[in-house]
Amino acid sequence: MTREAREAPQRCVEQLRLNAVLMRGAGRRLRELAPPFAATLARGSSDQAAAFAKFLLETHGQMPTLSHAPSIGSLYRATSPRFRGVPLIAISQSGRSPDLLAAAEDARAQGAIIVAVVNDAASPLAELAEIVIPVHAGAETSVAATKSFVCTLVALTHLVAEWSEDAALLAALKTTGDVLAAAAEADWSAALEPLRAASEMLVIGRGPTLPIAGEAALKLKETSGLHAEAFSIAEVAHGPMTLVGRGDPVLALAPLDVARTGLAERLADFAARGATVIAAGHAEDVTAAQLVLPSRTDVHPVLGAIAQIQSFYGLANALSLARGHDPDSPPHLNKVTRTL
């Protein structure tokens, strides 16, 4: 897991180079298509990437985006005819999960434009897509996805930047290698001690970091057997906050954009409850944290969010080992999940 996660920065640099012409063409085609909305299709870590795509499309492309549940197409065969001419962004590392394939086929039958974001460009999902975006992560043997997730986020960012012709986002992508390399070297091991014996915790984010919080919580469950739940910084006050008491860990993955609003006050509320607040973000936002994790804040907010999960993976691997687990082969899980 550690080795594969550390490959991500260079894999992303290579991906941006290899996909440059493809992405320009895909962006142009999607602009010409001018759909009324877009949709995503994914499960697991890929569904966190799909939530990241939704954030990007709605904030940078002003494109309403819905999450299309795989079972609507795979079990109910009830995909709406309103999907005609709508891009359905199907995200899968393997491109072989039966439910995603069935849902994508059902959507295509209704006239949806299938955009496959996959690590395996020769997979069945890629074969049925009209637009194929390979993430070029290379072989990934650890059951816990790391480099494929980071590469997928970069590919989605590249697609949306070209689709929306966002000059600032396109310029920021040129810094991807440096930003992610620095994130891979960031030492988050100080969080090991408060998390080693934890039985449950919250991971919070907002805007571009909410899907990152979702992926982090998923990895904590998957690799450390730690019941971690992800919530929006805004949403957590609507009930979940009552679950947090003295000594309970809260990991805050702070956004670098306007979604920072209210974060400092929220973390102060957690600290007042006696929670152990661990945070990464702007210094002025995390003053209530007992532990501040090293992270760059002088970067584009989208890249800053991707950098957070790059740094987190090192912590996740170390925590799994510290808790007596095998991060490369979690129990009851397989690399390709076969559900319908």
Side-chain angles (χ1 to χ4, degrees):
M1 179 176 170
T2 295
R3 177 181 56 78
E4 289 176 348
R6 283 184 165 272
E7 291 177 12
Q10 187 54 44
R11 293 284 185 179
C12 289
V13 170
E14 190 68 0
Q15 175 206 115
L16 289 166
R17 183 184 67 82
L18 292 172
N19 285 356
V21 174
L22 181 155
M23 289 294 197
R24 281 194 292 273
R28 186 183 314 111
R29 181 175 178 191
L30 291 167
R31 280 196 307 279
E32 291 170 352
L33 190 64
F37 66 95
T40 63
L41 177 69
R43 285 207 190 279
S45 287
S46 292
D47 200 35
Q48 301 302 332
F52 195 74
K54 173 182 170 66
F55 167 80
L56 291 171
L57 282 167
E58 294 191 341
T59 58
H60 292 266
Q62 290 74 54
M63 177 63 62
T65 304
L66 64 85
S67 173
H68 184 53
S71 61
I72 297 299
S74 65
L75 294 180
Y76 294 101
R77 296 289 176 178
T79 304
S80 170
R82 291 184 178 88
F83 268 74
R84 178 167 300 281
V86 167
L88 177 64
I89 304 172
I91 305 169
S92 172
Q93 191 259 335
S94 69
R96 286 178 162 75
S97 297
D99 55 346
L100 292 184
L101 290 171
E105 288 171 351
D106 196 52
R108 189 176 70 170
Q110 294 294 341
I113 308 301
I114 308 300
V115 181
V117 181
V118 290
N119 195 28
D120 184 353
S123 63
L125 181 60
E127 289 176 1
L128 64 84
E130 291 190 42
I131 299 173
V132 179
I133 298 172
V135 303
H136 297 292
E140 188 173 60
T141 56
S142 172
V143 170
T146 54
K147 64 176 179 176
S148 63
F149 182 76
V150 175
C151 287
T152 297
L153 297 188
V154 170
L156 290 167
T157 302
H158 195 182
L159 175 64
V160 173
E162 289 288 1
W163 186 350
S164 62
E165 297 183 299
D166 189 314
L169 200 51
L170 286 167
L173 282 167
K174 296 176 182 177
T175 69
T176 298
D178 291 340
V179 171
L180 293 186
E185 295 299 323
D187 184 2
W188 284 20
S189 62
L192 279 176
E193 199 51 42
L195 298 182
R196 190 191 305 267
S199 59
E200 56 188 28
M201 66 179 291
L202 295 184
V203 187
I204 59 175
R206 195 177 185 187
T209 67
L210 181 56
I212 304 306
E215 166 64 3
L218 182 61
K219 283 295 181 290
L220 290 167
K221 294 187 188 82
E222 187 177 45
T223 62
S224 286
L226 175 51
H227 183 196
E229 294 296 334
F231 287 97
S232 161
I233 290 162
E235 191 68 28
V236 74
H238 293 269
M241 199 163 183
T242 62
L243 300 174
V244 177
R246 185 163 299 279
D248 290 338
V250 175
L251 174 60
L253 300 176
L256 303 181
D257 63 3
V258 70
R260 299 164 55 199
T261 303
L263 173 61
E265 293 81 3
R266 186 71 66 239
L267 296 188
D269 290 343
F270 279 118
R273 287 174 168 269
T276 300
V277 179
I278 305 163
H282 282 290
E284 59 268 32
D285 292 338
V286 299
T287 54
Q290 289 94 325
L291 177 58
V292 177
L293 301 172
S295 63
R296 286 184 60 181
T297 57
D298 60 339
V299 299
H300 192 288
V302 170
L303 284 188
I306 300 173
Q308 286 183 352
I309 199 63
Q310 177 74 68
S311 297
F312 170 83
Y313 284 143
L315 169 61
N317 186 84
L319 181 62
S320 178
L321 294 171
R323 289 168 65 95
H325 294 262
D326 179 359
D328 294 332
S329 186
H332 316 303
L333 295 176
N334 296 301
K335 192 64 178 172
V336 180
T337 303
R338 299 189 178 278
T339 58
L340 189 68

